[in-house]
Amino acid sequence: MARHVAALAERRRALLIVNSKSGPKADSLLRTREIAEKLALAGIQVDVKVKIKKKRARRDAKRAAKRGYPLVIAAGGDGTVEAVASGLIGTQAVLGILPLGTYNNVATCLGIPTDLDQAVALIASGATRPIDVGRVIARGMKKPKLFIEMAGVGLGAALMPVGQDVEKGRWETGAEALPVAMNMSPTETLLRLNGSKSPARTRTLLVELINAPRHGAGIVTLPEARMDDGLLDVQVYRDMDQPAIAKRFLALKMGTPTDDASVERWQAMRVEVQTAEALPVVADSKVVGSTPARFDALPGALLVIAGDGMGLTRPASAALVSATVERAAPLLAVAYEKPEDPDELPPKPPAGEPDHPVLARVAEAVAPLAARTVKASQEVRKAPVPVTAAAVGAAGLAAVPLLRVLFKRFGL
């Protein structure tokens, strides 16, 4: 087993796509070397691309999949993750995520830690899951747009450019767009679910097509939503005006109870939306067109490395996630933080005594977790998952190269 795991670890290669300015401090690019070195310690050799524009990140990811990279890692926020993911839809390549953004909605829903060592260890675990992706086609679009978190019709789409302008300091542009959203009012809306001949009729200012339970500014709008159930969750805010919708979202953001009496919900694989007055349509963070629009769920279209996340019906096993966080990640931190002063290195144990305690913990982790992970991988829904991504766990891919590094660094 150990030889098999080590061989897989030696062959692992990936493309790392790093956002040039993710996170509250916009300093993600400065961490590129640290990220690459920690991935190398975990047995993953990376080539690096810098994401400056989403279009380029999508193209780089798509090319990597065609060139046979088994793993493409997105290091950044939700925008980076969604751009890289869109290039991998329907391919054999697996998406790894290192969350470096402000909200990290996708990572949170998938159970990916924001701690870098833990996220690297989880990627090394190869705990792959197929997840759903949404697709929208609306008036004014030349081709369909994919989304990971959610899509929307109406008020949310109208306010999205305003939020983006304010976030980027374009105050005048945002102020110009604000009156358009404020002057909107509930309009007659027709929703056709799964091609039904009997559409649902309502008056609304906002329709949400939800794939992930959390989106936007870290708001959980529908805790029950799952990213691997093959369905979109539909929420319609019936006869609610701007103040009522704003009040509800503020309550959701604050984690306080909300009055859902005016919120209608359905689930469907396909949703067609027609409105008496044209309303804007948004996919994730981008306004893409206007109504009429059609939204589709693409079940299992994307392969990702995930943990025990709130957005998963079939998460990684709790034992695997615990081992990744509690064993592999600390070992990775120890291996990366090499003491500069040789006198600070731990002394070799006397003859006849156990090996260095760090190495003992690695050895303790390897055997049971490798076997446990192989069993866990068999629980994954059948999908064309690369063997290197799905067959080996945290101890297998993380502990073996770490063991080798620690032997070398500690002179054991």
Side-chain angles (χ1 to χ4, degrees), residues 341-393:
D341 185 354
D343 293 336
E344 295 182 10
L345 288 170
K348 292 184 179 181
E353 292 191 9
D355 286 341
H356 188 274
V358 173
L359 297 178
R361 288 200 299 273
V362 179
E364 177 187 343
V366 171
L369 289 176
R372 189 181 303 162
T373 304
V374 170
K375 181 179 180 181
S377 70
Q378 296 170 353
E379 300 172 1
V380 180
R381 184 173 64 191
K382 289 185 178 180
V385 181
V387 173
T388 54
V392 189

Side-chain angles (χ1 to χ4, degrees), residues 4-17:
H4 176 64
V5 168
L8 285 174
E10 290 292 348
R11 292 202 302 270
R12 296 208 80 188
R13 55 191 286 261
L15 178 67
L16 171 65
I17 300 178

Side-chain angles (χ1 to χ4, degrees), residues 171-197:
W171 300 100
E172 292 184 3
T173 305
E176 292 174 0
L178 191 58
V180 176
M182 292 299 98
N183 290 330
M184 293 175 64
S185 59
T187 185
E188 295 293 332
T189 301
L190 183 150
L191 295 96
R192 195 179 303 275
L193 309 178
N194 297 326
S196 172
K197 295 181 179 180

Side-chain angles (χ1 to χ4, degrees), residues 61-62 65 70-74 78 80-97 106-107 110 112 127-134 146-149 211 227-230 284 297-306 312 314 380-386 389:
K62 190 172 183 178
L71 177 64
V72 179
I73 301 170
D78 292 311
T80 302
V81 170
E82 288 150 6
V84 174
S86 65
L88 302 180
I89 302 299
T91 74
Q92 298 290 306
V94 177
L95 172 66
I97 299 174
V106 177
L110 295 175
I112 299 169
T128 301
R129 289 290 181 272
I131 64 169
D132 309 330
V133 175
L146 301 173
F147 60 93
I148 306 295
E149 297 176 49
N211 187 48
M227 303 173 75
D228 57 358
D229 61 0
D284 283 332
L298 306 180
L302 177 66
L303 299 173
V304 300
I305 294 178
L312 296 174
R314 293 171 290 273
V380 180
R381 184 173 64 191
K382 289 185 178 180
V385 181

Side-chain angles (χ1 to χ4, degrees), residues 37-77:
E37 289 179 349
K38 289 191 174 185
L39 285 166
L41 288 173
I44 303 172
Q45 300 297 324
V46 297
D47 298 319
V48 179
K49 294 280 188 179
V50 176
K51 177 249 175 184
I52 299 175
K53 295 184 178 181
K54 292 182 180 180
K55 184 177 181 180
R56 179 168 180 174
R58 180 167 56 250
R59 183 189 65 191
D60 288 340
K62 190 172 183 178
R63 286 181 176 176
K66 287 183 178 180
R67 292 173 180 174
Y69 281 89
L71 177 64
V72 179
I73 301 170

